[in-house]
Amino acid sequence: MNAWILSERQDFVDGVSSILREHGVDAVWLGPETRSLTGLKGLLIVDGEAAHASGLHPGAEEPGADRGLEILTLRKPEASAIALAAEYTRTCAALRQELDGYKSTRLAIGAVVRALNRPLSDADAIPTALGELMERFRCRRLLMLSAEEGRRGLSVFYQRNLSDRFLADVAAHGGLAVMDRVFAEILCVVDVIERDILLRLDPAAGDWSRLLDLGGGEGSDFLLFTLKSNRRPVGMVIMGYDHESSWSSQEKESLSLLGMQLGLALENLQLFSRVQAARREWEATVDSMRDMVFFANPEGIIQRANAALAEYAGLPLTDVVGRRCSDVMSCGQRFEACPYRRGALMEGMAGFEMQGGDNRSYRILITPYRMGADQAAGTVHLASDITEEKQRLLLEEDKRQLLELDSLKNRFMASVSHELKTPLNAVIGFSEILLAGTYGAVNEKQQRYLENIHTSGKHLLALISDILDYMRLEADELSLQTEELDMDELVGSTLELMRQEADRGGVRLTLHRDALPCRVTADRRRVRQVLFNLLSNALKFTPEGGSVEVRAYREGDRVVVEVEDTGVGIAPQDQGKLFNEFTQVGEGARRGGGAGLGLALSRRLVELHGGSIRVESEPGRGSTFSFTLPVYHAVDARKRGRS
């Protein structure tokens, strides 16, 4: 405590100084030159006899005077009055110092709390608060460690003014393990601790306490305090100083309070981060699903939903939450499997199908989730649009039935064809015997009837043969007996068989041969069948006086056979249907006759050989049908022979 004496009398100054020394106080004499009391603190003893001579008026409120100055006016030195004044001044100074400490503490807490009151989304809130803390407590370095629930040990949350070398040193020498020990064994009991107290509590701490200096070096100091949330330690802060320091009880108490505020803010930030991570995960997974997903409480009120449900309901997502699930889904709890209708949320997964308000089909799966062993917290609903799936299943069922019907049809037609073929052969055979006169001559009328029977029988037999071939192709049972063929010879012999029919219709039939040999690898019977079909159609639709020309020639590794007629031709819109099964177009459809299988069989037989068939036609100008077959190669033939 400071004491001042304002007097011009030496005996007064000596007497007061003597009394003050007895109470351990040294006094300073203010001489006649003193003109202001500004800046003085402590006890001022004024000589009542001579004070006004100096021109000072200590009893008045002097501008700029410090309120830390206590004034006692005496006419002569009185020991009791001076002792009481000294004690009073000492008490006031202590109280004033304590008050200043509380003010400083309040300012520090206020600055930190203002920073912590920022929104949780503000990532700078805690760093700003720690910056305020460093400024108020005048520390040079700071390290904040967090102990997140569910994770073992401490982790660095924030640091200020720590070198990379020090951080690497901490990591390399088990510094975090040391801090874990301090946190787990000491700070869980003591909220705030300084170096000296730490060393008294744990003498072995001297070996590693340099880590807690945060790299401060010789003569440095540190202060630690715990971060708590709901009385549970959640982290710690280490403040490093470059010099030895001391802290008042008020400062330590304020750090204990700030530890609670920072701990709560830290835990809230960690919870906020987990919520944000869960939200991002929800958006990346559940919200991006096409299926509708939502959670409902035990009363069936939607608590959370994804974007697909909002789109289905035609409402903003915020309007969907809080509504009854049966209202949003338009199901009205009319399905027996619905657990809300049965009042049986705990019975496990339930499922049903429903028609939505958008006239689409949905499969609903409802699974309960629990708060405890036997208490339902609500249900999770997964609604999948199965409209396309049901349509696909219906199409597959229709396809299966059609395939079954087609198989039945094929078996029926094959059976009927076989049954018809035997009596037809007999009819044709007996008609030929009668026409040959084996059992006697027949008259003209009988001859005509027998010829009609024979022609119709052969036509019907050809139709049945086509149907049987088609059935074999459909069942993939028709195999080729390939050999080396001379197409010139095969085409020529086929033309000779058809020449009588051409002459009967007044149609000129010619063959154009290529200079190069036209040898192919093919099934003689099936190639002849293709030629018969093409020539029969050409002769059938070429009027009297017209012509049919057949050409066979080499083109690369293929032999091309063309049948060109001067008949009625085929319309462009009908040409794409020509090679379809059981189809007749244009003049053929008008005339009738046949099963519409000839060209379809020809296409399948040519493709079975590895060739192709096509048509070029112009109505009134005739048609050209052509097909290709692979050229014969001796190497290929030997390979086929070995296989």
Side-chain angles (χ1 to χ4, degrees), residues 96-324:
R96 191 173 287 109
Q97 183 179 2
E98 188 172 352
L99 179 61
D100 290 342
Y102 277 118
K103 287 181 180 179
S104 177
T105 299
R106 186 182 66 182
L107 290 173
I109 293 175
V112 172
V113 169
R114 280 193 299 274
L116 293 178
N117 281 336
R118 294 183 182 183
L120 288 173
S121 57
D122 187 350
D124 291 330
I126 291 181
T128 302
L130 293 173
E132 293 283 353
L133 184 69
M134 292 180 70
E135 182 179 348
R136 298 291 176 177
F137 284 83
R138 302 171 301 281
C139 72
R140 181 72 181 85
R141 296 169 299 281
L142 183 139
L143 176 63
M144 179 175 174
L145 303 165
S146 66
E148 192 169 352
E149 190 174 3
R151 294 176 58 183
R152 295 185 60 185
L154 295 170
S155 59
V156 175
F157 179 84
Y158 177 77
Q159 61 90 10
R160 177 80 68 87
N161 297 335
L162 300 186
S163 66
D164 294 338
R165 180 177 178 181
F166 171 77
L167 292 173
D169 189 47
V170 168
H173 296 87
L176 287 178
V178 169
M179 296 172 188
D180 281 341
R181 175 184 170 187
V182 174
F183 177 71
E185 298 180 5
I186 299 174
L187 285 179
C188 62
V189 179
V190 183
D191 288 346
V192 182
I193 192 167
E194 51 196 292
R195 177 195 294 273
D196 294 341
I197 298 175
L198 177 63
L199 292 177
R200 285 201 299 271
L201 292 174
D202 187 359
D207 298 335
W208 42 259
S209 62
R210 62 179 184 82
L211 290 172
L212 302 179
D213 289 338
L214 304 181
E218 191 68 29
S220 60
D221 208 344
F222 61 81
L223 183 68
L224 290 74
F225 66 92
T226 315
L227 307 180
K228 289 186 177 181
S229 176
N230 297 322
R231 300 183 180 180
R232 181 176 59 84
V234 295
M236 62 184 283
V237 171
I238 307 173
M239 297 192 298
Y241 294 81
D242 289 335
H243 51 79
E244 291 187 4
S245 303
S246 61
W247 300 271
S248 66
S249 59
Q250 290 90 351
E251 288 177 320
K252 292 180 182 179
E253 184 179 349
S254 67
L255 286 176
S256 180
L257 294 173
L258 289 173
M260 295 179 188
Q261 293 288 333
L262 282 167
L264 185 61
L266 175 62
E267 189 165 57
N268 287 340
L269 180 62
Q270 290 170 344
L271 288 172
F272 179 74
S273 299
R274 287 199 290 269
V275 169
Q276 290 296 94
R279 180 181 63 80
R280 289 191 294 269
E281 184 178 358
W282 173 277
E283 291 174 350
T285 55
V286 180
D287 238 6
S288 62
M289 291 173 60
R290 294 179 58 190
D291 295 339
M292 294 176 278
V293 180
F294 61 92
F295 295 79
N297 65 13
E299 288 72 42
I301 305 300
I302 295 175
Q303 304 295 302
R304 190 172 187 185
N306 69 345
L309 181 65
E311 183 179 352
Y312 168 82
L315 295 170
L317 189 58
T318 52
D319 291 349
V320 170
V321 175
R323 292 175 179 258
R324 191 172 295 278

Side-chain angles (χ1 to χ4, degrees), residues 36 77 82 153 159 268 322 337 378 567 573 640:
S36 175
I82 293 173
Q159 61 90 10
N268 287 340
Q573 64 270 21
R640 281 190 295 273

